[in-house]
Amino acid sequence: MTLVAKGLEGIVANSTSISDVRGDIGQLIYAGYDINELAGKVSFEETIHLLWHGELPNPEQLHKLTSALRAERSLPPEIIDFLKSVPRTAGPMDVIRTGVSMLGLFDHATGEHANYERAVAITAKIGVIAAYFHRLRQGKDLPPIRTDLSEAAHFLYLINGEEPTKEATATLDVAYVLHADHGMNASTFSARVTVATLSDMFSGITSAIGTLKGPLHGGANEGVIHMLQEIGSEDKVDAWLEEQFAKKAKIMGIGHRVYKVLDPRAPHLRDMAIKLTDQLGEPKWIRMSEHIATVMREKKHLNANVDFYSATVYYSLGVPTDLFTPIFAISRTAGWTAHVLEQLADNRLYRPLSEYTGPEVGKVVKPIDQR
Ligand SMILES: CC(C)(COP(=O)(O)OP(=O)(O)OC[C@H]1O[C@@H](n2cnc3c(N)ncnc32)[C@H](O)[C@@H]1OP(=O)(O)O)[C@@H](O)C(=O)NCCC(=O)NCCS
């Protein structure tokens, strides 16, 4: 009998020097650095350099990278026209998936650094696509691109039309660092599978965005806010959870395929969520979240994952719920592109097998009028 690893659980699909998820001890490593060492100490831009080049940048390297990213922020006018033509009710993840795919139509990169240049362009533009769509669907103007703001500050500036506070920027920057890469997760795997056919970088990232969108992956952070809104108040948490257990429903932001102990990203986001909700005088959300996390840990032995607290962080920053997963995508583009570059540097087509469970061979085709 063939042994099927459903969901490819436990299968090592490739080797990578970019990041490692040590699920048994709750450790996440980016190129030799524990995420706890990086979070709060390095910027998202420094993290991008680490993922793309395997080392943290010196000041000159950082300047070169940030200048390259900032120079690539503008969108082709055709993509702005596309964003204007999109129904206002469209999902932002669908818009960035199509927007990144469209970027491929305007790609002129050539030469040995072409894929690196594409990685820079996609990383620089994906947040602009999301933010401009958000402005347009509200009937608002498009703030001009600025080159004096960090990636995190620029995104907040574009969605709100005004420069963010230092604190809001720092919060989003740490969230970006925490989400930037995560081993062979589903969306990274799909990006690698796509480019391993020698398709192209834009197709790979488009596949990844489509994969991240689902509620079992990046879409869980939106699900967390919907859950908190549905429950309404802390006193209703126990009864609501019992109902979900009876229905065998999945609780969003809880559980993980690889982490069997606490997701190391969760405590950073939890601390930020506590601080922000405190400042806003709205501790209700975090209290409900803590209550849910405690019940899930005690009754189901399942821990909160990265999406559980990031939802409250983004909510407290005033980011609309349907931009939570796009924020994840913006940050994970750093990791996806790093994996695409690594895949192409030592490529082999992914082609797993399947266990056939259909009828035994031997059926005879009857003419169509006799079926
Ligand atoms: C992340 C996730 C998809 C991992 O899935 P998986 O490794 O395939 O794990 P399974 O779905 O097989 O779950 C194993 C068991 O734990 C339970 N479980 C896992 N996550 C759960 C959750 N969020 N809520 C309730 N029960 C959960 C399952 O019901 C199953 O129980 P059973 O063995 O009694 O049937 C899953 O935990 C999940 O759906 N979580 C919610 C979505 C989410 O937050 N995704 C973001 C991940 S970063």
Side-chain angles (χ1 to χ4, degrees), residues 45-175:
E45 286 81 348
E46 288 171 273
T47 306
I48 297 174
H49 193 283
L50 177 64
L51 299 175
W52 286 353
H53 302 285
E55 54 184 26
L56 285 173
N58 62 30
E60 195 187 318
Q61 290 166 325
L62 183 61
H63 177 72
K64 202 172 154 201
L65 177 68
T66 50
S67 307
L69 285 166
R70 292 175 192 193
E72 274 295 332
R73 281 180 177 161
S74 295
L75 301 180
E78 293 86 347
I79 294 198
I80 296 190
D81 288 344
F82 153 71
L83 293 173
K84 287 180 179 163
S85 74
V86 167
R88 289 181 179 195
T89 50
M93 281 300 280
D94 297 331
V95 175
I96 61 171
R97 185 199 57 222
T98 308
V100 166
S101 177
M102 268 189 91
L103 285 177
L105 305 176
F106 302 95
D107 172 46
H108 300 298
T110 51
E112 60 170 320
H113 301 301
N115 277 326
Y116 181 77
E117 286 164 22
R118 292 177 183 121
V120 170
I122 299 170
T123 307
K125 288 177 173 41
I126 184 170
V128 182
I129 295 174
Y132 271 8
F133 168 64
H134 177 58
R135 298 287 297 180
L136 288 164
R137 71 178 172 174
Q138 296 171 289
K140 293 188 174 161
D141 63 323
L142 299 181
I145 296 298
R146 283 177 53 174
T147 53
D148 58 334
L149 297 174
S150 69
E151 294 302 312
H154 195 246
F155 179 72
L156 290 171
Y157 151 71
L158 288 185
I159 61 168
N160 296 320
E162 60 184 32
E163 214 174 297
T165 62
K166 279 203 170 74
E167 219 177 359
T169 300
T171 303
L172 186 62
D173 192 70
V174 174

Side-chain angles (χ1 to χ4, degrees), residues 196-216:
T197 66
L198 297 185
S199 175
D200 66 285
M201 170 83 78
F202 297 93
S203 300
I205 305 306
T206 303
S207 297
I209 298 169
T211 308
L212 185 75
K213 180 185 155 187
L216 297 189

